[in-house]
Amino acid sequence: MLVLKFGGTSVGTPERIEKVANLVTAAKGRKIIVLSAVSGTTNALMEITNALKSDDATRATALINTLEDFYNNFSKKLFKTATYQALGEEIISRHFSLIRLLAAGKYDERTGRELLAQGELISTEFFHTHLNERDLKSRMLPALHFMSIDEDHEPELEKISERLQPLIKSLEKYEILITQGYICRNHKNEIDNLRRGGSDYTASLIGAAVRADEIQIWTDIDGMHNNDPRIVNNTFPIAELTFDEASELAYFGAKILHPSTIVPAQKFSIPVRLKNTMDEEAPGTIISDSSEKGKIKAIAAKDGITAIKIKSSRMLLAYGFLRRIFEVFEKHQTSIDMISTSEIAVSVTIDDNSALNEISEELMKFGTIEVDHNQTIICIVGNRIAEKNGVLKLIFNSLGMIPIRMVSVGGSKNNISLLVETAHKEKALNLLNDGLFDDYR
Ligand code: ADP
Ligand code: ASP
Ligand code: MG
């Protein structure tokens, strides 16, 4: 069994949906197709929920009308015959009646999440109907029937697997099964989602649940690049990554993968292949257990980081100090990404500021606190690069005079992280790109 996920741009126009259908039918054997919403839709639905949240019904109505017009035009181009155009209209009218009904009621978070789910529900129905029009046999596998998360918003992999396996068995005669990325049910059985970009995570969870042979993430670029192509020129695709390398890159900001994508695949050693829908011949990236050691593979950057420094002379020669500090973060369910210590101070970084005031107040009991906002973690990744001689010299030489607030090395063999002010990020990524990859181009 293969799992093939196509992102928003891959299903972003009627022509691309046709292309996806060709790719899917060309792939041998049984496969589960995971689709995102048509690109721009989740953002548009977000805007609608924001308008409703701020009680702006006029704006919400205008946004809904615009989105419906977009889909009507889309459907007219996607479906070729009068019968199927009527089916397209019926799909749109059903979903937009629901959207209007939800918008008319009292707004709460649950309404918002149900609104957000409509994007993936529409794209998959469109795709299924398009395959029918082309006489290609397929079946829908509704994500809301099997994809679930627990109270802590964690996917329930075992339960997902228990629900999915018999479903798939009962549909044995279908080669193509279609499901929605991103959406799921929560512990209250309400419609929920796996957070922005979550369709990648869906694909990996399904891959793990059915013990797929391979998970393929089809997107608008030819694989994981060595640096962020939105910021740096001259980036290039990486042929192979280990699960650990890819995990670090995804977690530290490589947008091509949702941060948690690799976890379920790695659990069952299922290879994850990144492919370009617009250039199917390009080799892409294969993520598996093995990859070349000792090479700097890629750089990723994560913005929105806050650094907190706790300075205290009481820390000198004291034991248990770090534990007490960490307990404060644990109590406020805030995870720490980087840490660096000296005899009288410790600096940590967090990416979630929602409990920052409470945390700062409690930390003041230990000493003086300094908080720096607008920081970026730059993460340099490669299989066992931290063991490579001269790697730090290469990194620091490349960065020249860029001020570095924190460095983390030795935490993992595969990762060296630096903290810089976000204002220096673009320059830092470009300098590192020039300095670190010369041998590999
Ligand atoms: P999809 O809609 O298919 O999920 P995304 O927009 O979420 O696609 O992810 C693909 C985009 O990720 C690329 O177009 C690229 O701009 C961006 N990106 C950021 N960092 C990287 C990287 N290191 N390698 C490849 N793409 C990256
Ligand atoms: N449609 C969702 C989003 O835009 C999920 C995804 O595309 O992966 O975030
Ligand atoms: Mg994505």
Side-chain angles (χ1 to χ4, degrees):
M1 177 77 84
L2 288 179
V3 179
L4 276 64
K5 175 259 171 177
F6 294 89
T9 31
S10 301
V11 295
T13 64
E15 295 76 23
R16 289 203 179 139
I17 291 199
E18 288 168 26
K19 173 88 188 278
V20 169
N22 296 340
L23 288 171
V24 164
T25 40
K28 291 204 171 57
R30 288 190 86 196
K31 50 234 146 190
I32 301 176
I33 313 303
V34 178
L35 298 184
S36 292
V38 169
S39 62
T41 300
T42 311
N43 284 345
L45 292 166
M46 277 280 207
E47 273 192 69
I48 294 168
T49 58
N50 287 338
L52 293 171
K53 238 187 252 176
S54 50
D55 250 343
D56 192 346
T58 319
R59 181 168 158 72
T61 306
L63 290 166
I64 295 170
N65 292 343
T66 308
L67 192 62
E68 189 176 25
D69 288 346
F70 168 82
Y71 275 105
N72 278 320
N73 288 328
F74 199 103
S75 161
K76 275 188 203 123
K77 287 199 198 106
L78 177 64
F79 301 114
K80 313 294 179 217
T81 57
T83 315
Y84 276 85
Q85 287 192 346
L87 284 175
E89 275 169 33
E90 186 275 321
I91 295 168
I92 296 167
S93 123
R94 189 158 28 81
H95 286 283
F96 278 83
S97 299
L98 176 62
I99 290 173
R100 291 202 169 85
L101 191 72
L102 290 167
K106 193 175 159 346
Y107 181 82
D108 58 17
E109 297 244 314
R110 190 175 154 179
T111 310
R113 292 193 299 256
E114 193 165 351
L115 278 168
L116 287 181
Q118 301 309 310
E120 272 70 13
L121 291 167
I122 298 175
S123 66
T124 45
E125 270 202 68
F126 267 19
F127 186 65
H128 179 51
T129 312
H130 170 69
L131 292 185
N132 282 346
E133 189 173 28
R134 287 171 61 174
D135 252 339
L136 299 166
K137 240 171 138 193
S138 66
R139 269 298 289 264
M140 287 288 255
L141 209 56
L144 298 179
H145 290 185
F146 64 84
M147 189 58 74
S148 61
I149 51 174
D150 65 18
E151 266 168 285
D152 299 322
H153 217 270
E154 283 299 314
E156 301 175 309
L157 186 53
E158 277 201 12
K159 287 190 187 161
I160 295 166
S161 187
E162 279 161 23
R163 295 183 201 111
L164 203 48
Q165 304 259 18
L167 251 177
I168 286 168
K169 215 163 185 327
S170 71
L171 299 171
E172 219 147 20
K173 61 176 195 281
Y174 292 93
E175 268 213 341
I176 305 174
L177 302 170
I178 305 164
T179 192
Q180 298 82 19
Y182 178 60
I183 63 174
C184 61
R185 289 203 181 266
N186 62 24
H187 68 290
K188 295 185 200 152
N189 207 32
E190 297 163 352
I191 295 179
D192 210 318
N193 60 62
L194 301 175
R195 309 226 162 97
R196 294 307 304 268
S199 299
D200 303 324
Y201 199 16
T202 303
S204 182
L205 288 163
I206 292 179
V210 306
R211 315 288 192 262
D213 299 307
E214 185 169 295
I215 298 157
Q216 299 183 355
I217 309 283
W218 288 79
T219 179
D220 57 3
I221 190 163
D222 52 353
M224 177 73 82
H225 277 219
N226 68 314
N227 207 331
D228 191 330
R230 297 166 299 177
I231 297 174
V232 176
N233 291 324
N234 307 320
T235 62
F236 54 88
I238 311 159
E240 286 180 5
L241 288 171
T242 60
F243 289 120
D244 287 340
E245 289 170 327
S247 241
E248 302 255 20
L249 290 167
Y251 183 74
F252 285 107
K255 194 203 168 208
I256 186 169
L257 289 176
H258 176 284
S260 310
T261 308
I262 299 302
V263 180
Q266 183 167 21
K267 194 165 178 197
F268 299 98
S269 287
I270 301 168
V272 179
R273 195 180 293 276
L274 311 181
K275 291 283 287 176
N276 188 351
T277 311
M278 321 316 161
D279 180 7
E280 66 206 79
E281 298 302 325
T285 302
I286 181 83
I287 302 163
S288 67
D289 278 320
S290 64
S291 99
E292 216 176 325
K293 294 191 179 63
K295 251 190 174 185
I296 295 175
K297 294 284 184 50
I299 302 172
K302 187 170 166 186
D303 296 335
I305 304 293
T306 300
I308 306 168
K309 185 193 277 177
I310 306 116
K311 213 168 157 189
S312 166
S313 48
R314 273 190 286 150
M315 192 175 161
L316 196 66
L317 301 175
Y319 50 82
F321 190 80
L322 282 178
R323 179 179 52 79
R324 275 173 277 151
I325 287 179
F326 286 155
E327 272 170 0
V328 174
F329 289 87
E330 189 183 350
K331 181 173 157 200
H332 295 285
Q333 297 183 340
T334 301
S335 66
I336 293 171
D337 276 329
M338 276 179 83
I339 162 161
S340 84
T341 63
S342 76
E343 266 312 294
I344 54 150
V346 51
S347 278
V348 300
T349 70
I350 57 172
D351 67 357
D352 174 4
N353 281 347
S354 42
L356 182 60
N357 288 343
E358 293 88 331
I359 289 173
S360 303
E361 238 165 70
E362 288 191 38
L363 289 177
M364 278 174 204
K365 285 188 232 144
F366 301 107
T368 52
I369 308 295
E370 269 173 47
V371 176
D372 291 321
H373 294 285
N374 300 322
Q375 306 288 306
T376 292
I377 294 179
I378 296 181
C379 173
I380 300 156
V381 168
N383 195 357
R384 296 182 166 250
I385 51 158
E387 293 174 343
K388 192 179 149 97
N389 288 343
V391 72
L392 285 173
K393 184 174 171 198
L394 195 61
I395 292 172
F396 291 137
N397 278 349
S398 310
L399 284 171
M401 299 306 282
I402 300 253
I404 302 167
R405 166 82 164 74
M406 276 166 77
V407 178
S408 168
V409 55
S412 135
K413 289 175 182 145
N414 307 318
N415 162 349
I416 294 168
S417 300
L418 311 166
L419 188 74
V420 299
E421 266 179 44
T422 305
H424 297 303
K425 165 182 146 178
E426 190 174 333
K427 179 120 196 264
L429 288 184
N430 276 287
L431 287 171
L432 289 168
N433 211 57
D434 292 340
L436 299 187
F437 297 101
D438 265 356
D439 306 351
Y440 315 126
R441 278 181 220 278

